[in-house]
Amino acid sequence: MNGKEQKTYLIVGLGRFGTALCEKLASLGQNVIGVDSSAAPVAEIADKISVAAQMDVTDEASLVKIGAKEADVAIVTIGEAVEPSVLSTSLLVELGVPLVIARACSKIHARVLERVGAHRVIFPEWDMGARIGEALVYPWYSSFTRIDGGNFVIGKISPLPEMIGHTMAELKFSQKYKVIVILMEYGGKQHSPNPMRPIEEGDKLWIQGTIDDIQALVGAE
């Protein structure tokens, strides 16, 4: 487990998104329960996760029997079928699952899911589309991670030639480049930023900033 805490994840809906989620969680050493109303996707995933079952995902007794009350996280991945998505989400919230995440296919669907108590609503298709669009406009973006809820991202860059041989203090780094250095890598190790250490060729800088400010910095390379 490499120090990771094992949790039990209940995945409701085994379409492409649900199946991919099951496989990834299982590969990370987590206890995964996958359920779907159809037999085919259940059979395909059965040997890859802890438990796979065909069942009525809107039936409370079936959810309890499969282990919903013992789940740490439940993710309802049903997309277009709005009614079973909402009913399943509502039941899982009522059963006391600590974290219920539900996939929405529209803003109206999302509002309904929020009203029945979903702790978090996700739009995977929209999020992926937005990320691909940003990666097309900003080629550097694929190596950065967006901070939820804002326009800030975190990622690693090589120093610009103009930085080599100068300290962050000399460069007035944050003021000049509008980003914050949160970590430095050199000598094969990670270090807290030292504003008095000259930046060297081969160093790596972990920076945080807005997409526009990092585009102004990295996009000019």
Side-chain angles (χ1 to χ4, degrees):
M1 289 295 295
N2 296 323
K4 295 190 297 292
E5 178 187 359
Q6 186 182 53
K7 293 184 178 180
T8 296
Y9 292 83
L10 171 61
I11 312 301
V12 180
L14 298 175
R16 288 188 294 271
F17 176 60
T19 296
L21 184 57
C22 282
E23 292 181 353
K24 185 60 177 180
L25 288 168
S27 74
L28 292 172
Q30 302 302 303
N31 184 41
V32 181
I33 302 169
V35 300
D36 196 280
S37 58
S38 300
V42 171
E44 289 180 11
I45 199 72
D47 62 345
K48 299 177 182 178
I49 61 177
S50 304
V51 178
Q54 178 188 7
M55 52 172 274
D56 180 357
V57 299
T58 66
D59 180 66
E60 181 176 1
S62 297
L63 288 170
V64 171
K65 186 176 180 179
I66 202 65
K69 286 189 173 182
E70 287 71 50
D72 299 293
V73 183
I75 305 100
V76 180
T77 69
I78 303 168
E80 299 299 327
V82 174
E83 184 175 349
S85 163
V86 171
L87 289 173
S88 180
T89 300
S90 177
L91 286 171
L92 291 166
V93 171
E94 291 176 5
L95 289 172
V97 179
L99 177 59
V100 178
I101 301 170
R103 172 190 176 193
C105 60
S106 68
K107 290 183 178 180
I108 293 176
H109 187 190
R111 285 200 295 268
V112 175
L113 290 169
E114 289 170 350
R115 286 174 183 171
V116 299
H119 303 122
R120 182 181 173 189
V121 177
I122 58 174
F123 295 84
E125 292 86 359
W126 188 92
D127 291 342
M128 180 57 71
R131 187 167 183 86
I132 290 173
E134 287 173 324
L136 290 171
V137 175
Y138 306 118
W140 51 266
Y141 187 78
S142 61
S143 61
F144 278 68
T145 300
R146 181 189 284 273
I147 300 174
D148 286 346
N151 193 38
F152 283 84
V153 293
I154 294 175
K156 182 168 61 173
I157 67 168
S158 297
L160 301 181
E162 66 191 52
M163 299 175 185
I164 303 301
H166 300 283
T167 68
M168 287 190 291
E170 290 172 342
L171 292 167
K172 298 183 179 178
F173 200 97
S174 296
Q175 181 179 343
K176 180 176 182 178
Y177 299 112
K178 311 299 183 186
V179 300
I180 299 172
V181 178
I182 59 175
L183 194 68
M184 296 184 71
E185 291 185 8
Y186 53 86
K189 297 181 179 179
Q190 295 179 336
H191 306 267
S192 297
N194 180 351
M196 305 310 295
R197 175 189 175 274
I199 298 171
E200 300 177 1
E201 191 80 36
D203 287 358
K204 299 294 182 182
L205 308 177
W206 284 86
I207 60 173
Q208 174 186 308
T210 67
I211 290 176
D212 288 341
D213 287 336
I214 293 179
Q215 168 64 13
L217 171 60
V218 182
E221 287 185 295

